[in-house]
Amino acid sequence: MTVSQDMSLPRRQRAIAPEYLEAYAEADAQMGQPNPRFKQSAIYTHRYLAKRTELVGVEGLSDSELDLTIF
């Protein structure tokens, strides 16, 4: 009986530390482009919207930014 050497486990994605999510959100807010990769992260969306409204106000938010309020 032989054992296959190609029995590797699937790679797991690592979680991103909250402080990195907040830093990404602040940088993205300054550019005015939310990252769709993080749109379901409560930490990211909260920080992004807080920083973006600080910069442009609620009336200045784009449709894609307003979509973040759903999450």
Side-chain angles (χ1 to χ4, degrees), residues 14-63:
R14 291 187 172 178
I16 300 174
E19 54 271 10
Y20 287 125
L21 285 172
E22 290 177 347
Y24 293 147
E26 288 185 18
D28 292 344
Q30 291 175 356
M31 292 188 299
Q33 297 177 337
N35 188 333
R37 177 180 177 200
F38 303 125
K39 73 179 183 180
Q40 292 185 357
S41 166
I43 295 169
Y44 177 88
T45 55
H46 182 266
R47 188 66 194 141
Y48 180 92
L49 290 170
K51 187 66 173 179
R52 192 68 185 151
T53 54
E54 227 177 75
L55 295 170
V56 299
V58 176
E59 281 75 30
L61 296 177
S62 69
D63 288 341

